[in-house]
Amino acid sequence: MATTKVKTKVNAKTAKKLEAINADPARWFNNFVKINNNQNEYIPFILNEQQSHFLKNMDKYSIILKSRALGFTTFSLAYCLWSALNKPRTNYLVVSYKQDSATALFDKLKSFYGGLPHEKYNFPKDTQNNRLQMKFDNGSTITLAVAGNKDLGRGLNLQYVLLSEFAFYSNQEKLLLSIEQALAKNDTSKLVIETTANGFNYMQTLYSNASKGKSRYKTFFFPWFASAYKQQFKSDYDEAERWFKATYHKRLTPDWLDNDEQILLEMGANLRQLMWRQWKLSGGTSENSFKQEYPSNALEAFISTGQSVFDTSKIVNRLPYVTPPMSVQEIGASLPVSLKSYVSRKALNVFELPKQGMKYYAGCDVSSGSSKDSSTISILDETGKQVLSFYDNKVSIYKFASVINEIGHWYNYAFTTVERNGYGIPILERLRNKYQYMNLFKMKIFDQNSGRT
């Protein structure tokens, strides 16, 4: 890595210290980058706990799902500047979903560069500083762009890419494919997706697959009670605490918590943050709107921002009580060998093993197996309790028939209902003719033309 040249003559000790600073982005930010905090103080950029965690653990492909205002866009701008100035002839791209956001980010980037101690060190000179692009005389370039161009990144060789608020892009899948192709083929290049949730779209599918180990991406989730907010929202927390004391004549204590607050406390929220939550809700913010901006877990983020037939608040309230699926070791020898790989890659989730004498009921939804929609199985016992789920978007139609047959026999020859759509008909034919699986839901249809059923 190239190091920043010093204008004045320095001793060997100082030069060694400077080399160490340039090699460590966190130290470089602290020494050379300044930001305006919420109190409008112009201070050195010191990573908060969540930013520091991400820096140490980010992978080549990373997804950050988060609550609002955690500073990850600021982190990426500083990271791009550090890398561009220390790695000659490298290119960087930060994508926003709106023009005004891209302009604001570019202004922040210019502020970071302008605030560097140029009088003391020979940082690379900027040879272009307009039209959302900065070029330096060491050959490196940082570009700010707006989502919408399907060819964005084409022809470039990008060392670091940030896709900011990716869930709000209208062309998520095509744009991501283009950007992935443009990522530099070396060990240190990074592609970072950073966003709040926006319902059940491509971003949700991407995050869900990644969290199950079915994707090259590594996932990060940061809730509304992350430690960074303790300082960032300090003035809000102070005001909320004054409001709470004026309203209830005491500070919030653990014995005053309702069930939801008790769960949040156990998840990591502190009492000041819970008072702040009550303060936000008291001002007319609905609980669902609060969860939309400030989710406490990943599924809550997506549910709260999506449109659903069901009451999402009831779904979210049940999340802490969901039983985790069993491992291959926990299931043991009763697991059919042909199903073992599905458990290992988390396509098959077993919550309770089949019991002798218990009746089971299976519902199956069939897709093409072309990586778009998933083929699914859900099994309930005779009490209505879900004991198994299966979903896979790459299993072929005929292979899926085999999976249904294996799972159905495993669960005491479960009474099975298969959706009778275009893909479901060959599944039903294969279950009946090849596997002789006859415990299937059958429905008579009246043909008005022939008068027969």
Side-chain angles (χ1 to χ4, degrees):
M1 176 180 290
T3 57
T4 303
K5 296 178 181 178
V6 185
K7 283 187 175 180
T8 57
K9 187 176 181 180
V10 296
N11 59 36
K13 184 177 180 180
T14 302
K16 187 174 182 180
K17 180 179 179 181
L18 182 62
E19 185 178 354
I21 291 173
N22 285 334
D24 181 355
R27 291 183 66 183
W28 196 87
F29 302 159
N30 190 12
N31 281 272
F32 297 141
V33 178
K34 289 192 173 182
I35 61 171
N36 285 92
N37 65 10
N38 284 355
Q39 288 73 45
N40 202 32
E41 299 168 328
Y42 194 51
I43 60 173
F45 180 27
I46 301 174
L47 295 181
N48 61 41
E49 183 180 349
Q50 283 66 48
Q51 292 166 335
S52 182
H53 173 80
F54 179 70
L55 176 62
K56 293 175 182 176
N57 295 282
M58 66 174 166
D59 213 337
K60 189 178 188 71
Y61 301 93
S62 301
I63 304 177
I64 304 171
L65 181 65
K66 61 181 184 60
S67 293
R68 295 187 61 197
L70 264 177
F72 280 104
T73 307
T74 298
F75 164 85
S76 282
L77 290 175
Y79 187 93
C80 287
L81 186 60
W82 162 76
S83 192
L85 297 184
N86 284 286
K87 296 180 179 180
R89 299 173 300 281
T90 50
N91 299 300
Y92 305 83
L93 179 65
V94 175
V95 182
S96 180
Y97 80 105
K98 293 192 300 186
Q99 182 64 51
D100 57 350
S101 298
T103 302
L105 292 178
F106 187 59
D107 289 342
K108 181 176 284 191
L109 176 65
K110 290 194 294 184
S111 174
F112 287 173
Y113 180 75
L116 297 176
H118 294 280
E119 71 286 350
K120 188 174 181 181
Y121 301 108
N122 279 331
F123 294 98
K125 299 287 191 298
D126 57 325
T127 59
Q128 178 178 318
N129 193 333
N130 55 30
R131 296 185 179 181
L132 301 184
Q133 189 173 73
M134 293 189 74
K135 290 185 177 181
F136 305 98
D137 62 7
N138 70 349
S140 293
T141 302
I142 304 175
T143 303
L144 280 290
V146 180
N149 183 354
K150 66 179 180 180
D151 295 325
L152 192 63
R154 188 176 296 276
L156 297 177
N157 190 38
L158 299 168
Q159 184 64 26
Y160 184 96
V161 183
L162 172 69
L163 302 179
S164 180
E165 291 298 350
F166 178 73
F168 295 85
Y169 296 1
S170 59
N171 58 336
Q172 297 171 25
E173 189 170 4
K174 290 182 178 179
L175 185 143
L176 185 60
L177 178 61
S178 176
I179 293 296
E180 287 179 342
Q181 298 305 312
L183 194 65
K185 307 302 187 288
N186 60 53
D187 294 337
T188 58
S189 61
K190 312 286 184 188
L191 197 169
V192 179
I193 295 173
E194 167 267 318
T195 189
T196 50
N198 186 32
F200 288 81
N201 53 21
Y202 176 76
M203 164 59 198
Q204 187 276 332
T205 302
L206 184 68
Y207 184 90
S208 178
N209 287 339
S211 65
K212 296 179 177 69
K214 298 180 180 180
S215 165
R216 71 183 75 179
Y217 286 86
K218 183 176 182 178
T219 59
F220 298 82
F221 176 78
F222 300 104
W224 64 268
F225 44 81
S227 61
Y229 290 122
K230 294 176 183 178
Q231 181 60 39
Q232 191 155 331
F233 285 5
K234 183 180 182 303
S235 59
D236 266 13
Y237 289 173
D238 291 341
E239 186 173 348
E241 187 165 356
R242 288 192 293 269
W243 166 84
F244 192 93
K245 288 179 179 178
T247 304
Y248 300 105
H249 309 292
K250 62 173 290 185
R251 195 178 186 277
L252 183 64
T253 55
D255 57 301
W256 268 38
L257 303 180
D258 61 25
N259 289 337
D260 290 344
E261 291 170 331
Q262 185 63 47
I263 291 170
L264 290 169
L265 184 69
E266 292 170 0
M267 291 175 68
N270 62 32
L271 294 176
R272 268 171 61 84
Q273 290 171 325
L274 293 174
M275 285 188 283
W276 174 79
R277 176 177 176 271
Q278 286 197 27
W279 176 63
K280 295 286 284 187
L281 295 176
S282 73
T285 301
S286 70
E287 190 164 342
N288 204 52
S289 295
F290 180 87
K291 290 173 179 177
Q292 181 173 331
E293 298 294 324
Y294 304 104
S296 59
N297 59 67
L299 186 54
E300 180 179 275
F302 292 115
I303 289 176
S304 298
T305 55
Q307 299 296 319
S308 177
V309 174
F310 305 102
D311 184 345
T312 57
S313 64
K314 292 182 179 179
I315 297 173
V316 170
N317 287 340
R318 295 303 303 166
L319 290 178
Y321 306 102
V322 172
T323 303
M326 302 170 69
S327 66
V328 172
Q329 292 74 23
E330 290 172 320
I331 297 171
S334 68
L335 176 67
V337 174
S338 62
L339 299 177
K340 187 174 180 179
S341 64
Y342 293 108
V343 177
S344 299
R345 58 190 178 90
K346 302 180 181 179
L348 175 60
N349 297 294
V350 178
F351 306 105
E352 188 175 284
L353 292 173
K355 298 177 180 177
Q356 187 176 2
M358 178 73 76
K359 293 182 179 178
Y360 294 99
Y361 303 86
C364 307
D365 185 21
V366 188
S367 74
S368 65
S370 59
S371 301
K372 295 290 185 180
D373 197 8
S374 292
S375 291
T376 65
I377 304 171
S378 181
I379 295 189
L380 309 180
D381 66 17
E382 61 190 38
T383 70
K385 180 180 179 181
Q386 186 181 35
V387 295
L388 177 145
S389 71
F390 174 94
Y391 51 98
D392 194 304
N393 64 355
K394 294 181 181 179
V395 62
S396 69
I397 294 173
Y398 298 116
K399 184 64 177 175
F400 188 47
S402 172
V403 172
I404 295 173
N405 177 62
E406 289 280 7
I407 291 176
H409 277 99
W410 187 25
Y411 277 81
N412 301 346
Y413 199 36
F415 179 73
T416 300
T417 302
V418 178
E419 182 184 14
R420 196 175 61 88
N421 59 8
Y423 299 124
I425 291 173
I427 290 279
L428 288 165
E429 290 176 347
R430 201 168 183 85
L431 285 171
R432 288 170 60 89
N433 299 329
K434 179 175 180 177
Y435 300 111
Q436 286 77 52
Y437 197 104
M438 307 304 290
N439 196 20
L440 299 168
F441 174 77
K442 306 173 185 67
M443 181 175 64
K444 291 183 178 181
I445 299 175
F446 180 75
D447 187 338
Q448 292 183 346
N449 293 327
S450 65
R452 297 178 180 176
T453 56

